[in-house]
Amino acid sequence: MLTALPTDTRLGELWPDIWQATGETLLMVALTMLIGGSLGLILGLGLYLTRKGGLYENVIVSFVLNVLVNFFRPIPFIIFIAAVQPAARLIVGTGIGTPAVVFSLVLAAMFGIARIVEQNLVSVPPGVIEAARAMGATRARIAATVVVPEAMAPVILGYTFAFVAVVDMSAVAGLIAGGGLGSFAQTFGYRQYDPAVTWVCVLILVGLVQVIQLLGNTLSARILRR
């Protein structure tokens, strides 16, 4: 015989904790996008500039960077967290909790964003680069003032996609007691058989993603119109 699920909910008394969990999620995502996004941009530029036919073509560097990105990027995040726990303990001093989660998120986001950046930079028309070369621009100047600005709109959309992925990964991180809405929904919603709490967390995450997606689309459209 199935046990009846409780019909009452603790949602009312949990609102302060829900907002605290929301703040933890925002902090984890913001730190990840700031640090991982910056490192991913640098790594993505390295992939683009050193590839065959690139401004700084270098077969060895390009090969090493591609192997590095291709090694880490396909690993499912739940496995990735476990795999980098020893490194997290060494660098941030713990293998669980918010610091360990942010460390894992930064690494995962860095490799994913690097490939997104590279793919969008590749879309820059070669004719634009050749025109800049013909005008005597240096390779560094072409990269900074031609390639990056030309690819800015799609790069912003790529970062918007990465933001959504990081929100998703931050929820998964609740499995190692990383804090945030994912951990809260699992602890007070799923394990306590309280679907109201679970759905409130879901709706907050959906609302956050919708706002960021709208901002990303708007900013990208404005850049395209310039």
Side-chain angles (χ1 to χ4, degrees):
M1 181 180 295
L2 295 176
T3 303
L5 297 179
T7 57
D8 57 332
T9 176
R10 297 177 57 201
L11 181 60
E13 65 184 83
L14 289 174
W15 275 112
D17 297 317
I18 290 174
W19 294 128
Q20 180 180 344
T22 302
E24 291 172 352
T25 293
L26 290 173
L27 177 62
M28 288 190 292
V29 173
L31 287 174
T32 299
M33 291 304 298
L34 177 63
I35 303 173
S38 300
L39 294 175
L41 176 62
I42 295 172
L43 185 55
L45 280 169
L47 287 166
Y48 170 76
L49 294 173
T50 61
R51 65 187 286 126
K52 185 177 181 180
L55 293 171
Y56 291 89
E57 181 178 346
N58 188 309
V59 176
I60 297 176
V61 174
S62 178
F63 175 78
V64 171
L65 292 180
N66 273 285
V67 169
L68 184 66
V69 172
N70 291 337
F71 179 84
F72 287 103
R73 198 166 64 99
I75 303 175
F77 186 64
I78 189 63
I79 300 175
F80 188 83
I81 293 177
V84 300
Q85 266 191 337
R89 291 192 188 97
L90 181 64
I91 295 176
V92 301
T94 179
I96 62 173
T98 301
V101 168
V102 171
F103 177 79
S104 302
L105 285 170
V106 165
L107 288 181
M110 176 180 70
F111 295 115
I113 289 174
R115 192 60 79 185
I116 290 174
V117 170
E118 181 205 16
Q119 291 172 349
N120 285 301
L121 293 179
V122 169
S123 67
V124 175
V128 176
I129 298 174
E130 290 304 321
R133 276 177 166 166
M135 295 174 64
T138 63
R139 293 181 296 179
R141 186 176 181 83
I142 292 172
T145 64
V146 177
V147 175
V148 172
E150 282 288 326
M152 186 60 67
V155 165
I156 289 175
L157 289 178
Y159 270 79
T160 303
F161 173 81
F163 182 95
V164 176
V166 169
V167 171
D168 175 53
M169 290 189 294
S170 72
V172 173
L175 293 173
I176 63 165
L181 287 169
S183 177
F184 189 88
Q186 182 182 199
T187 302
F188 295 98
Y190 176 74
R191 291 179 181 173
Q192 299 296 323
Y193 299 103
D194 196 336
V197 172
T198 302
W199 274 102
V200 164
C201 294
V202 169
L203 292 175
I204 292 174
L205 288 171
V206 170
L208 175 62
V209 167
Q210 293 295 328
V211 169
I212 294 301
Q213 188 68 60
L214 177 62
L215 290 175
N217 290 345
T218 301
L219 183 58
S220 177
R222 287 184 179 180
I223 291 176
L224 283 173
R225 285 198 295 268
R226 290 179 181 177

